[in-house]
Amino acid sequence: MIISHTHKFIFIKSLKTAGTSVESILSNYCSGSDIVTPLNDFKHNRNEKGEFIHRAMNAEDYKEIGQHVDAETIRARLPAELWNSYFKVSLARNPWDRAVSFFYWEHRQDPSIRPRKRFYHYLGIPFNEPKMLRHKFREFLKSDKWAGNDRFYVQGDKLCVDFVIRYENLNEDFAEVCRRLGLPTQDLPHLKSGIRKKHHYSEYFDEETKALVAERHKNDIQLLGYAFEER
């Protein structure tokens, strides 16, 4: 999360939407009394060269909450004139794609999400990794280990931010944010990447799991027009 008094913007970081990559660039434009919540210093928060490029500052009052601070909490802590006048931006992602990404992130230390080929696969039976993971994926979706993202950019069933960066249009939307703020545009680093194999998200779903994701992302579907897409 960033509250920049220098450039008069609020960046509300949602989950599994490339928020760390965006925040790492925006944090380097901050100074003075600007607030940037810290990241954990581990390899997924470093760029391709192993550099830690995120700059945290003045976040003591937010450390107990963490880096993902919802819109309601930020709004309650700020004077109304700042919340109303600052440019507010967050990020969204196709809900079904995001659910698969969340699943892999939460299980990144679990070797069972990387099944190996069995002998019969070498005899001609197709090796379908997403299908092999559907049971585990279903159990994850039924759990309370994940939630939708709308608390970061929706209040009262309406968008409460001025701009939503879409993961599917990440670089172009980030450039537009920089343009509106009068900031130089930089290439986004690939942080927290490489966890998930490059299968299309639709391969992990059946009718039940598609409905589970839709139920937790009603606002994304209604307000942002997201839909399940076949490969």
Side-chain angles (χ1 to χ4, degrees), residues 170-206:
L170 181 62
N171 291 303
E172 293 83 356
D173 284 357
F174 178 64
E176 176 62 17
V177 167
C178 290
R179 186 192 68 79
R180 295 195 189 190
L181 293 173
L183 299 173
T185 300
Q186 297 184 32
D187 292 335
L188 291 169
H190 298 287
L191 305 182
K192 292 185 177 177
S193 61
I195 306 297
R196 163 186 166 190
K197 290 190 176 181
K198 299 299 181 181
H199 297 288
H200 190 265
Y201 68 81
S202 62
E203 298 182 56
Y204 294 84
F205 286 92
D206 54 28

Side-chain angles (χ1 to χ4, degrees), residues 44-226:
H44 294 298
N45 285 333
R46 293 176 175 269
N47 67 12
E48 296 89 337
K49 298 179 181 179
E51 300 167 331
F52 191 67
I53 57 176
H54 179 273
R55 296 178 66 239
M57 60 187 73
N58 307 316
E60 289 76 14
D61 292 340
Y62 290 87
K63 283 182 178 179
E64 77 280 6
I65 302 173
Q67 56 191 281
H68 299 282
V69 187
D70 61 82
E72 182 177 354
T73 299
I74 298 173
R75 187 172 190 170
R77 292 186 173 210
L78 285 178
E81 61 270 20
L82 296 189
W83 174 265
N84 292 330
S85 62
Y86 280 17
F87 182 75
K88 297 174 287 293
V89 59
S90 190
L91 309 99
R93 182 177 185 174
N94 179 288
W96 294 273
D97 186 33
R98 175 180 172 270
V100 175
S101 179
F102 214 139
F103 168 74
Y104 271 93
W105 178 255
E106 289 296 305
H107 292 87
R108 62 190 181 279
Q109 303 297 335
D110 181 357
S112 70
I113 67 166
R114 293 172 177 82
R116 297 182 179 181
K117 288 185 177 181
R118 304 293 181 89
F119 74 92
Y120 45 78
H121 295 125
Y122 295 99
L123 298 177
I125 297 176
F127 178 67
N128 189 330
E129 182 176 302
K131 188 174 182 180
M132 295 172 70
L133 291 172
R134 280 184 176 182
H135 175 72
K136 194 176 188 72
F137 183 51
R138 181 182 296 106
E139 293 305 309
F140 173 73
L141 294 181
K142 289 182 176 180
S143 74
D144 59 357
K145 295 179 181 178
W146 70 290
N149 260 342
D150 59 359
R151 64 190 182 279
F152 299 107
Y153 43 80
V154 173
Q155 288 186 307
D157 296 327
K158 296 181 179 179
L159 290 175
C160 63
V161 297
D162 302 296
F163 194 90
V164 176
I165 296 174
R166 293 178 183 252
Y167 180 88
E168 300 77 19
N169 199 41
L170 181 62
N171 291 303
E172 293 83 356
D173 284 357
F174 178 64
E176 176 62 17
V177 167
C178 290
R179 186 192 68 79
R180 295 195 189 190
L181 293 173
L183 299 173
T185 300
Q186 297 184 32
D187 292 335
L188 291 169
H190 298 287
L191 305 182
K192 292 185 177 177
S193 61
I195 306 297
R196 163 186 166 190
K197 290 190 176 181
K198 299 299 181 181
H199 297 288
H200 190 265
Y201 68 81
S202 62
E203 298 182 56
Y204 294 84
F205 286 92
D206 54 28
E207 293 304 316
E208 179 187 9
T209 50
K210 280 195 288 186
L212 287 171
V213 172
E215 177 63 27
R216 294 196 189 183
H217 292 83
K218 289 180 178 178
N219 282 322
D220 294 80
I221 294 168
Q222 179 179 349
L223 299 176
L224 300 174
Y226 279 115

Side-chain angles (χ1 to χ4, degrees), residues 2-14:
I2 298 175
I3 301 172
S4 175
H5 303 296
T6 305
H7 300 288
K8 293 182 170 48
F9 75 86
I10 300 169
F11 173 70
I12 307 175
K13 182 182 176 182
S14 57

